[in-house]
Amino acid sequence: MPRLAYSFPEEVLEHVFSFIECDKDRGSISLVCKSWYEIEAWCRRRVFVGNCYAVSPATVVKRFPKVRSVAIKGKPHFADFNLVPEGWGAYVFPWIKAMAAAYPWLQEIRLKRMVITDECLELIAKSFKNFSVLVLTSCEGFTTDGLAAITANCRNLRELELRESEVEDICGHWLSHFPDSYTSLVSLNISCLGNEVNLSALERLVSRCTNLQTLRLNRAVPLEKLANLLRGAPQLVELGTGTYSTEMRPEVFANLAEAFSGCKQLKSLSGFWDVLPSYLPALYPVCSSLTSLNLSYATIQSSDLIKLVSQCESLQRLWVLDYIEDAGLEVIAASCKDLRELRVFPSDPFGLEPNVALTEQGLVSVSEGCTKLQSVLYFCRQMSNAALDTIARNRPNMTRFRLCIIEPRAPDYLTREPLDAGFGAIVEHCKDLRRLSLSGLLSDRVFEYIGTYGKKLEMLSVAFAGDTDLGLHHVLSGCDNLRKLEIRDCPFGDKALLANAAKLETMRSLWMSSCLVSYGACKLLGLKLPRLNVEVIDERGPPDSRPDSSPVEKLYIYRTVSGPRLDMPGYVWRMEDDSALRVS
Amino acid sequence: MDNSLRISHEKELNLEATELRLGLPGSDEPEKRSVVRSNKRSSPEASEELECMSKGNMNSNGSDVTSDHDQDNVVPPAKAQVVGWPPIRSYRKNNLQQKKGEEGEGSGMYVKVSMAGAPYLRKIDLKVYKSYPELLKTLGNMFKCTFGEYSEREGYNGSEYAPTYEDKDGDWMLVGDVPWNMFVSSCKRLRIMKGSEAKGLGCL
């Protein structure tokens, strides 16, 4: 009986596989049989590496020889909040080096939370003739000199995005290195750069790149220059302004308003540092077609925010400061019926007293009025179980819910009870919930709910919560789809971790800091689970100098097929497994 | 970052933090939780120990210490910062602060505040506020008055009092007309005028 796998020529299978883009599906295809594995590997064009230490560059280039697009993530998420000390790792250089040799036709590199040096950028510019997309999110380690190497050499560059990265700003002339003949820019995001770029070079670049769709400026670009830039690119779809204030002059305003009305394709706005409210009406012509609005730097009053947002009837994504207040969110609930994602950031995160009238009520209003709302990040100072219950019942379609009650361990402000029931309602009703961040006063109970109902949960963030190991046990044993778990300042120790050790191999990573996991338990985990890297982060010196029962400062455990990493800094200790001990 | 190089003892269960909920909400590490500030009122010494961000809170809460608050005697106005909490990325925190270097770092920007009929003047540090609403709220608390809603055309029309300031040129201006940063760098002193007095100000 001829086997089906051999009844199609390879080319046909390749063609069929080319329609499958999703990584998970590609993975499934590769498991069908050996020949499908090989064919799939040969025609895989995009690779996503969720943890740069889970696999080695050599392994990737060996298995997938024809990759055109690569995305790699490095540091753990809590690095965003300064919980990961400097020099931890996530260096992209070994990847660039391996790919420079193996993928001469590489086109796209997307990195998140990685360290990329000027040397890397120069290597990229030199090695990939067709290089077209560079997206660096929350990265660090490079300067504008490295950017100059990219702009000078990458003739086919289409996207250059520096999102929230730390760039040492040496000289604004890197932008001028684009040759005059270069016109292929589609997307430019320099919003995180501190210093000025050469404005006339920018204007010329923008006007000659007729395919430009995304332009995110940095704060240093003055408002007076914005109109000219817009006139040079009326086809823009996404715009990030620079500073949005200057002396109020009618001719500047008129110029700006006219320029905005010329941008008929504009769907996304961001930037808005230092907003002078009197310039906001210049945006009114584009409001009704906006789908995405990021006002999270705009320190303006609720009334001005409302005047703007109430006109944005097509809005799908809104990021805003808590100056919006409950009143503003009520207006949004009434006006923005297509809203899918809401993020409300705190204007005064370290103040003890509320400085704005934003409470749980704002979120409740939006959950009622915006039936498509599925992604929430909300900072507030009070919450109640009743409100959470209402939100959960209103929005069973919620997929990402991140609530940050600013005061750690704040109880339900009405009943003074823990918020277990409220978050329990969220996981119970929102059956497709994939991401959850908890806050407020929480006992082991909430974790019982999460373990019971959070079957689709992939990422959970926990802080200042729980009473005993039972809490952690509920999560590890109940959440079937858990991939990333990050915990800080919780009384979780050895028991739950050791009892659920095997679970850790089914997850991408586990982070625990300021908890009660002992050094001895870490050693045991490292010993028994060779497919995990168990890394203890402790800045107090070698854990061996303290008793085995002593809790470690921080713990990062991740699954890997490439064994121990070789670039750990002095304050990271890897717990050895059996094989290492035998060899030595 | 701030955790580095601290000698730690056996960590107490974090449950202790629950006991201290009315006190400091948290500190850098569990073993430091026992470090409760013993002075209940803000003091220059305590404020120096804090980083710049919380220093701002110190001063803005200094006024709260004098007002009625049920946590007044229990919560020291100073708040020790927990590393990485609330979970906000540093570029976002930095961007909320005013542009640096305009007034000189760390020196504070105290201006006198007077009000018609009040027996003595007050002083506030403009640098601790990031926006007009915050400033006006504090002024309102300090002098037990309200300002009503600001509008560009009418100023604080309709309210009993209006906040005004003397700028670099010696002119008296209505608070709220110019961008916040511009206001902070040009404000020399503040005066809370009666609504009727303020009518001639800042009209375009």
Side-chain angles (χ1 to χ4, degrees):
Chain A
M1 228 16 193
R3 291 202 288 186
L4 263 175
Y6 294 113
S7 67
F8 289 120
E10 275 181 21
E11 295 80 18
V12 175
L13 281 172
E14 253 191 65
H15 183 67
V16 171
F17 294 168
S18 68
F19 293 100
I20 314 290
E21 304 221 329
C22 163
D23 282 332
K24 211 158 163 248
D25 293 338
R26 282 263 172 178
S28 306
I29 288 174
S30 68
L31 293 173
V32 166
C33 64
K34 189 156 183 288
S35 94
W36 277 38
Y37 176 96
E38 283 165 4
I39 296 169
E40 191 283 317
W42 186 259
C43 69
R44 175 120 34 147
R45 295 282 174 266
R46 323 184 77 91
V47 170
F48 169 70
V49 180
N51 172 5
C52 62
Y53 292 119
V55 64
S56 72
T59 306
V60 173
V61 308
K62 182 159 177 245
R63 177 173 170 187
F64 304 113
K66 294 276 173 192
V67 164
R68 299 277 163 90
S69 162
V70 105
I72 312 171
K73 290 171 133 181
K75 298 186 202 170
H77 174 236
F78 273 177
D80 284 357
F81 315 125
N82 297 335
L83 288 178
V84 176
E86 285 290 306
W88 178 84
Y91 305 106
V92 78
F93 185 75
W95 290 89
I96 309 290
K97 187 153 164 253
M99 294 190 299
Y103 301 148
W105 301 113
L106 188 73
Q107 291 171 353
E108 306 181 354
I109 295 177
R110 293 179 171 84
L111 306 177
K112 187 166 186 181
R113 286 192 206 97
M114 296 201 75
V115 177
I116 176 166
T117 59
D118 285 350
E119 197 190 346
C120 297
L121 290 167
E122 283 154 24
L123 191 54
I124 290 171
K126 212 171 49 175
S127 317
F128 308 118
K129 298 290 165 247
N130 259 4
F131 193 68
S132 59
V133 172
L134 182 64
V135 178
L136 303 175
T137 306
S138 308
C139 293
E140 53 170 343
F142 60 107
T143 79
T144 43
D145 287 350
L147 293 177
I150 297 285
T151 55
N153 294 298
C154 299
R155 297 294 137 108
N156 294 310
L157 195 68
R158 282 185 299 112
E159 293 178 34
L160 178 59
E161 299 216 17
L162 310 172
R163 300 180 187 163
E164 301 158 17
S165 293
E166 276 183 42
V167 188
E168 194 186 328
D169 215 323
I170 294 176
C171 171
H173 285 279
W174 63 272
L175 201 63
S176 322
H177 288 255
F178 278 124
D180 289 336
S181 54
Y182 168 77
T183 56
S184 31
L185 197 61
V186 172
S187 171
L188 180 65
N189 182 342
I190 57 168
S191 53
C192 60
L193 289 184
N195 295 344
E196 292 176 13
V197 290
N198 186 328
L199 273 177
S200 51
L202 179 63
E203 275 178 22
R204 288 195 306 273
L205 178 68
V206 164
S207 54
R208 71 176 183 270
C209 295
T210 51
N211 291 323
L212 192 67
Q213 302 212 313
T214 300
L215 180 63
R216 307 264 191 211
L217 304 168
N218 63 341
R219 194 176 189 171
V221 176
L223 188 55
E224 302 92 82
K225 299 289 183 184
L226 186 57
N228 255 10
L229 285 163
L230 289 179
R231 289 223 167 72
Q235 76 282 3
L236 269 185
V237 176
E238 301 184 325
L239 171 73
T241 73
T243 187
Y244 204 77
S245 90
T246 182
E247 268 177 40
M248 187 44 181
R249 280 176 285 155
E251 71 274 12
V252 173
F253 178 89
N255 200 15
L256 189 60
E258 204 197 321
F260 270 114
S261 356
C263 294
K264 309 268 188 234
Q265 318 288 337
L266 214 45
K267 289 214 164 10
S268 165
L269 283 179
S270 63
F272 297 112
W273 290 280
D274 320 306
V275 176
L276 179 62
S278 15
Y279 274 108
L280 287 176
L283 302 170
Y284 290 173
V286 301
C287 281
S288 57
S289 43
L290 285 182
T291 57
S292 170
L293 184 54
N294 182 349
L295 291 167
S296 60
Y297 298 112
T299 51
I300 51 179
Q301 300 187 41
S302 179
S303 48
D304 295 309
L305 287 166
I306 289 174
K307 270 189 235 149
L308 187 63
V309 182
S310 55
Q311 300 187 47
C312 302
E313 62 208 25
S314 313
L315 212 56
Q316 295 179 14
R317 177 194 298 145
L318 175 65
W319 292 22
V320 72
L321 285 170
D322 55 10
Y323 289 129
I324 188 84
E325 297 191 331
D326 288 344
L329 290 172
E330 247 184 81
V331 171
I332 286 161
S335 323
C336 308
K337 290 307 191 184
D338 219 11
L339 198 69
R340 324 264 160 115
E341 176 182 326
L342 174 69
R343 296 197 190 187
V344 179
F345 296 95
S347 52
D348 183 18
F350 303 105
L352 283 180
E353 298 296 315
N355 60 322
V356 290
L358 179 107
T359 69
E360 80 283 6
Q361 191 47 51
L363 187 55
V364 171
S365 306
V366 179
S367 76
E368 266 159 19
C370 302
T371 58
K372 301 201 189 145
L373 187 70
Q374 46 176 231
S375 173
V376 165
L377 171 61
Y378 199 76
F379 285 81
C380 60
R381 286 196 153 84
Q382 66 183 44
M383 187 50 63
S384 66
N385 283 310
L388 283 170
D389 189 81
T390 305
I391 292 164
R393 286 173 200 277
N394 284 341
R395 294 276 59 79
N397 51 327
M398 190 81 70
T399 55
R400 293 181 198 80
F401 190 73
R402 293 193 277 164
L403 179 68
C404 179
I405 306 164
I406 290 181
E407 175 83 12
R409 302 193 189 84
D412 177 324
Y413 78 101
L414 296 168
T415 65
R416 312 306 292 172
E417 281 171 10
L419 289 167
D420 301 335
F423 279 105
I426 294 280
V427 288
E428 187 186 346
H429 294 282
C430 307
K431 302 209 190 300
D432 289 320
L433 196 70
R434 294 198 304 268
R435 184 168 181 183
L436 178 64
S437 298
L438 307 172
S439 59
L441 183 65
L442 297 164
S443 75
D444 285 346
R445 208 55 200 288
V446 72
F447 299 107
E448 200 185 333
Y449 292 135
I450 292 173
T452 305
Y453 296 111
K455 293 307 182 190
K456 299 262 184 77
L457 202 60
E458 295 178 6
M459 183 169 178
L460 179 64
S461 310
V462 186
F464 306 102
D467 302 316
T468 73
D469 269 50
L470 203 52
L472 181 56
H473 173 71
H474 284 309
V475 171
L476 290 176
S477 57
C479 297
D480 300 330
N481 280 296
L482 197 62
R483 292 189 299 116
K484 289 181 278 182
L485 179 57
E486 47 185 24
I487 302 173
R488 63 162 296 175
D489 294 274
C490 296
F492 299 144
D494 302 342
K495 290 198 233 57
L497 216 48
L498 293 173
N500 292 280
K503 171 75 174 174
L504 299 176
E505 285 185 349
T506 69
M507 294 165 52
R508 180 185 295 173
S509 66
L510 166 68
W511 169 280
M512 291 179 75
S513 57
S514 304
C515 296
L516 299 173
V517 182
S518 72
Y519 177 48
C522 295
K523 281 197 285 190
L524 196 55
L525 281 171
L527 205 60
K528 293 302 169 198
L529 298 163
R531 284 180 301 198
L532 295 181
N533 276 354
V534 178
E535 294 180 8
V536 167
I537 298 171
D538 211 315
E539 290 176 283
R540 298 169 294 175
D544 278 330
S545 62
R546 290 178 291 276
D548 270 11
S549 56
S550 168
V552 300
E553 272 183 356
K554 299 170 186 177
L555 175 62
Y556 186 52
I557 302 177
Y558 56 91
R559 66 179 173 188
T560 180
V561 295
S562 69
R565 61 177 174 121
L566 305 170
D567 59 0
M568 294 183 296
Y571 54 78
V572 176
W573 285 269
R574 182 179 171 272
M575 304 296 103
E576 289 175 357
D577 54 62
D578 266 335
S579 55
L581 290 175
R582 256 182 259 126
V583 166
S584 60
Chain B
M1 280 175 4
D2 299 327
N3 291 342
S4 56
L5 308 175
R6 296 208 194 274
I7 314 294
S8 96
H9 328 286
E10 289 293 318
K11 288 196 196 306
E12 315 108 296
L13 277 185
N14 287 3
L15 286 174
E16 272 202 274
T18 334
E19 292 169 9
L20 291 177
R21 263 204 17 85
L22 288 179
L24 290 173
S27 59
D28 288 2
E29 292 175 353
E31 65 265 21
K32 278 181 66 216
R33 198 156 278 112
S34 49
V35 178
V36 178
R37 305 223 176 259
S38 53
N39 38 328
K40 300 234 165 86
R41 297 199 170 261
S42 61
S43 71
E45 295 80 43
S47 73
E48 265 151 22
E49 288 171 50
L50 296 175
E51 299 165 20
C52 308
M53 287 290 265
S54 41
K55 176 171 177 246
N57 304 320
M58 278 274 304
N59 291 325
S60 66
N61 286 307
S63 57
D64 283 344
V65 170
T66 59
S67 65
D68 288 341
H69 199 285
D70 58 6
Q71 288 191 341
D72 210 19
N73 295 323
V74 182
V75 180
K79 178 180 176 181
Q81 264 187 40
V82 181
V83 173
W85 192 267
I88 303 167
R89 308 209 33 221
S90 20
Y91 75 87
R92 195 170 278 288
K93 277 191 274 191
N94 295 338
N95 272 299
L96 279 181
Q97 292 169 6
Q98 297 167 25
K99 281 203 184 123
K100 304 212 201 313
E102 274 175 3
E103 295 87 37
E105 284 88 85
S107 51
M109 240 209 94
Y110 284 90
V111 296
K112 289 183 190 167
V113 191
S114 61
M115 173 154 137
Y120 47 80
L121 277 61
R122 303 296 304 271
K123 255 198 170 172
I124 57 168
D125 179 1
L126 287 183
K127 279 178 83 171
V128 324
Y129 306 100
K130 296 173 196 68
S131 68
Y132 284 122
E134 287 176 48
L135 172 65
L136 295 181
K137 186 162 179 230
T138 302
L139 289 179
N141 284 339
M142 221 183 233
F143 290 93
K144 305 282 178 280
C145 61
T146 53
F147 296 115
E149 208 181 292
Y150 165 81
S151 78
E152 228 177 270
R153 276 201 21 222
E154 315 257 301
Y156 296 88
N157 214 8
S159 68
E160 218 192 320
Y161 294 97
T164 65
Y165 71 101
E166 185 183 4
D167 74 357
K168 279 187 178 125
D169 301 327
D171 298 323
W172 283 93
M173 314 286 295
L174 191 67
V175 169
D177 283 341
V178 300
W180 174 255
N181 289 342
M182 208 184 278
F183 162 72
V184 172
S185 57
S186 56
C187 170
K188 290 286 154 262
R189 57 206 301 221
L190 284 158
R191 181 174 167 78
I192 300 179
M193 293 189 183
K194 287 242 172 207
S196 45
E197 279 182 299
K199 267 217 161 66
L201 285 170
C203 293
L204 289 169

